[in-house]
């Protein structure tokens, strides 16, 4: 009677614990995507500001990249953005003292609307960026209609420049490609070494050596990532810079090497456990037919353990994609589209870790970082589903 009573208490406690945990995870995911979706309702131009041109200018819309390039003086003629052959005159509010005296603008800037109206009217090639509060009531120019950040601006964007004005750029491509480049490089490096160690521990090493190596490998998985990052920054980065004669050592390759070291324990442990599940009868049958030990490993053990080995690879990729601190310290943090693995890159987790502290809560930058987190969640979700599928296939 007492045992049944305590059994019900334990069962109820487990049910409540599981329900609360599942609800918490669901709420976290909903919060993540609700914050992330707000980016696509945010204006392209900085909130509270407007872009204006002369009324004779036929251009009615500019992309965020075009706006940035114009104010960075990389685009200097309207014909480059589909307009007339006319020089562009970008003007910010801080440039007005170059055109008007303090008396003309007013001691309290009460005359700024009139000054802005006059400046836009006199310069056919002007592109003015100023606060909306200074927009004249009877404006003689043309104000660009408000537009929100689009899906293409984020998913197809090639630049990540969240502090740019008058428009910030939130391009996913350089961060996504940097993440994939570092992760794939890590798996390419870690997989041969991990498989070699797993085969040795499962099929070659005796029990004494296996019992000694197993705790050491599992201990490697418990080392904090910041320690790996510090080791990579102090040892691996200078070594690669010297040996490969690179301009800088903080590259995607350095990140791949560090992540490969971090992924090794996962790959070795999962692959070795999979190989040890190979039925002894299958190995003995192979040896009885005249196959050597290595032929048995290659023709019997590895094919039978293929699902487990694939799971080890997927779990290793998941560890590499989600890593933050180690990658942040050794990859150079350059948000550019990489052309080789020997260039600095920036990954999605590193971007979130580096910029979340400086992003104003509720702003476009803040929402863009949450959207990066949502993308990372989707990537890891796909990997988890892949692991479940592979494991289920193995059971069948």
């Amino acid at each position: 009677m007492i045992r049944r009573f305590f059994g019900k208490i334990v069962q109820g406690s487990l049910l409540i614990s599981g329900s609360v945990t599942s609800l918490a995870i669901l709420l976290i995911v909903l919060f993540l995507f609700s914050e992330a979706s707000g980016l696509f309702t945010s204006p392209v131009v900085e909130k509270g500001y407007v872009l204006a041109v002369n009324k004779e200018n036929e251009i009615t819309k500019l992309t965020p990249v075009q706006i940035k390039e114009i104010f960075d003086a990389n685009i200097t003629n309207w014909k480059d953005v589909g307009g007339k052959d006319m020089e562009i005159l970008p003007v910010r509010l801080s440039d007005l003292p170059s055109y008007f005296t303090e008396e003309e603008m007013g001691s309290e800037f009460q005359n700024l609307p009139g000054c802005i109206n006059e400046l836009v009217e006199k310069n056919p090639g002007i592109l003015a960026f100023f606060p909306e509060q200074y927009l004249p009531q009877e404006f003689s120019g043309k104000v660009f209609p408000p537009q929100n950040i689009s899906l293409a601006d984020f998913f197809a964007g090639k630049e990540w420049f969240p502090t740019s004005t008058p428009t910030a750029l939130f391009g996913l491509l350089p961060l996504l490609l940097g993440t994939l480049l570092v992760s794939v490089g890590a798996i390419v490096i870690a997989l041969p070494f991990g498989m070699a160690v797993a085969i040795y521990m499962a099929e070659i090493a005796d029990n004494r050596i296996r019992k000694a190596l197993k705790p050491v490998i599992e201990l490697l998985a418990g080392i904090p990532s910041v320690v790996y990052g510090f080791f990579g920054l102090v040892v691996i980065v200078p070594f690669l810079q010297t040996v490969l004669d690179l301009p800088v050592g903080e590259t995607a390759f350095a990140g791949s090497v560090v992540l490969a070291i971090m992924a090794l324990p996962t790959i070795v442990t999962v692959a070795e456990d999979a190989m040890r599940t190979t039925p002894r009868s299958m190995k003995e049958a192979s040896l009885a037919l005249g196959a050597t030990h290595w032929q048995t490993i290659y023709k019997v053990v590895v094919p039978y353990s293929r699902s487990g080995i694939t799971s080890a690879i997927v779990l290793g990729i998941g560890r590499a994609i989600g890593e933050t601190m180690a990658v942040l310290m050794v990859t150079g943090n350059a948000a550019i589209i990489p052309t080789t693995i020997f260039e600095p890159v920036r990954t999605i987790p590193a971007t979130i870790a580096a910029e979340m502290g400086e992003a104003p809560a509720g702003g476009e930058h803040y929402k863009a970082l949450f959207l990066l987190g949502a993308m990372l969640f989707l990537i890891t979700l796909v990997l988890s589903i892949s692991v479940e599928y592979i494991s289920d296939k193995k059971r069948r």
Side-chain angles (χ1 to χ4, degrees):
M1 189 73 178
I2 296 177
R3 182 180 299 177
R4 185 182 301 177
F5 174 73
F6 279 106
K8 290 184 177 180
I9 292 178
V10 173
Q11 184 179 0
S13 300
L14 293 175
L15 178 62
I16 294 173
S17 177
S19 301
V20 170
T21 303
S22 301
L23 180 61
I25 294 174
L26 179 62
L27 291 176
I28 290 173
V29 173
L30 290 177
F31 173 74
L32 176 66
F33 279 92
S34 64
E35 291 292 322
S37 62
L39 178 66
F40 301 114
T41 59
S42 301
V44 167
V45 179
E46 188 175 348
K47 191 173 182 180
Y49 286 76
V50 296
L51 283 174
V53 295
N54 188 278
K55 62 181 179 180
E56 298 179 359
N57 196 325
E58 59 187 21
I59 298 296
T60 59
K61 182 180 179 181
L62 293 171
T63 66
V65 174
Q66 290 174 336
I67 296 172
K68 177 181 177 297
E69 291 295 299
I70 288 175
F71 280 89
D72 287 348
N74 295 323
I75 296 178
T76 58
N77 197 295
W78 282 107
K79 69 177 181 180
D80 296 330
V81 292
K84 297 179 180 178
D85 186 5
M86 181 170 50
E87 186 177 354
I88 300 177
L89 176 64
V91 175
R92 302 174 185 263
L93 187 66
S94 58
D95 297 326
L96 289 182
S98 302
Y99 299 93
F100 302 98
T101 63
E102 293 184 6
E103 291 77 11
E104 291 174 324
M105 291 187 292
S107 58
E108 301 293 333
F109 302 107
Q110 66 272 16
N111 299 329
L112 274 184
C115 295
I116 292 173
N117 190 62
E118 179 183 346
L119 187 63
V120 171
E121 187 176 8
K122 288 183 177 179
N123 294 275
I126 194 172
L127 178 62
F129 171 65
F130 56 89
E132 190 175 10
Q133 68 185 70
Y134 295 124
L135 182 65
Q137 293 183 352
E138 296 182 359
F139 188 45
S140 59
K142 182 171 60 177
V143 176
F144 284 171
Q147 56 177 327
N148 294 333
I149 298 174
S150 65
L151 292 172
D153 293 334
F154 179 78
F155 290 102
K158 298 181 180 180
E159 293 185 69
W160 179 268
F161 203 159
T163 58
S164 173
T165 57
T167 177
L169 300 180
F170 302 107
L172 174 65
L173 285 182
L175 307 182
L176 180 61
L177 293 178
T179 302
L180 296 178
L181 183 62
V182 173
S183 302
V184 172
I187 294 303
V188 169
I189 296 172
L191 185 58
F193 292 100
M195 286 299 301
V197 175
I199 292 173
Y200 174 77
M201 291 180 60
E203 297 296 327
I204 300 175
D206 55 35
N207 289 331
R208 182 173 55 85
I209 297 177
R210 185 182 298 114
K211 289 179 180 179
L213 285 178
K214 191 78 170 178
V216 173
I217 293 175
E218 292 177 350
L219 180 64
L220 291 175
I223 298 176
S225 61
V226 68
V227 176
Y228 282 108
F230 184 71
F231 171 77
L233 185 63
V234 174
V235 178
I236 296 177
V237 166
F239 175 77
L240 293 178
Q241 184 176 4
T242 303
V243 172
L244 301 178
D245 192 24
L246 300 174
V248 292
E250 292 88 351
T251 60
F253 184 66
S256 296
V257 172
V258 173
L259 286 184
I261 298 173
M262 298 178 65
L264 272 175
T266 302
I267 295 175
V268 171
T269 301
V270 177
E272 191 252 345
D273 290 341
M275 291 179 186
R276 289 178 64 82
T277 61
T278 304
R280 184 180 181 86
S281 59
M282 293 181 63
K283 293 186 285 186
E284 290 177 347
S286 175
L287 295 171
L289 290 172
T292 65
H293 190 189
W294 285 106
Q295 286 174 333
T296 300
I297 293 173
Y298 176 71
K299 295 290 187 178
V300 177
V301 176
V302 172
Y304 183 85
S305 311
R306 187 178 302 160
S307 296
I309 293 171
T310 306
S311 298
I313 297 172
V314 174
L315 289 173
I317 294 174
R319 173 72 187 272
I321 288 178
E323 185 50 52
T324 302
M325 288 308 301
V327 178
L328 181 65
M329 298 174 70
V330 300
T331 54
N333 294 313
I336 57 176
I337 295 180
T339 56
T340 69
I341 199 170
F342 300 108
E343 292 180 357
V345 296
R346 174 179 281 192
T347 64
I348 292 176
T351 301
I352 297 173
E355 298 182 4
M356 184 56 77
E358 63 186 33
E364 290 80 6
H365 190 188
Y366 177 86
K367 296 173 183 176
L369 293 178
F370 268 92
L371 189 54
L372 290 181
M375 295 301 302
L376 197 62
F377 169 79
L378 292 176
I379 294 173
T380 54
L381 179 63
V382 171
L383 290 175
S384 298
I385 293 174
S386 301
V387 171
E388 290 296 328
Y389 173 77
I390 294 168
S391 301
D392 184 63
K393 183 179 179 181
K394 179 180 178 182
R395 287 192 293 269
R396 291 198 300 267

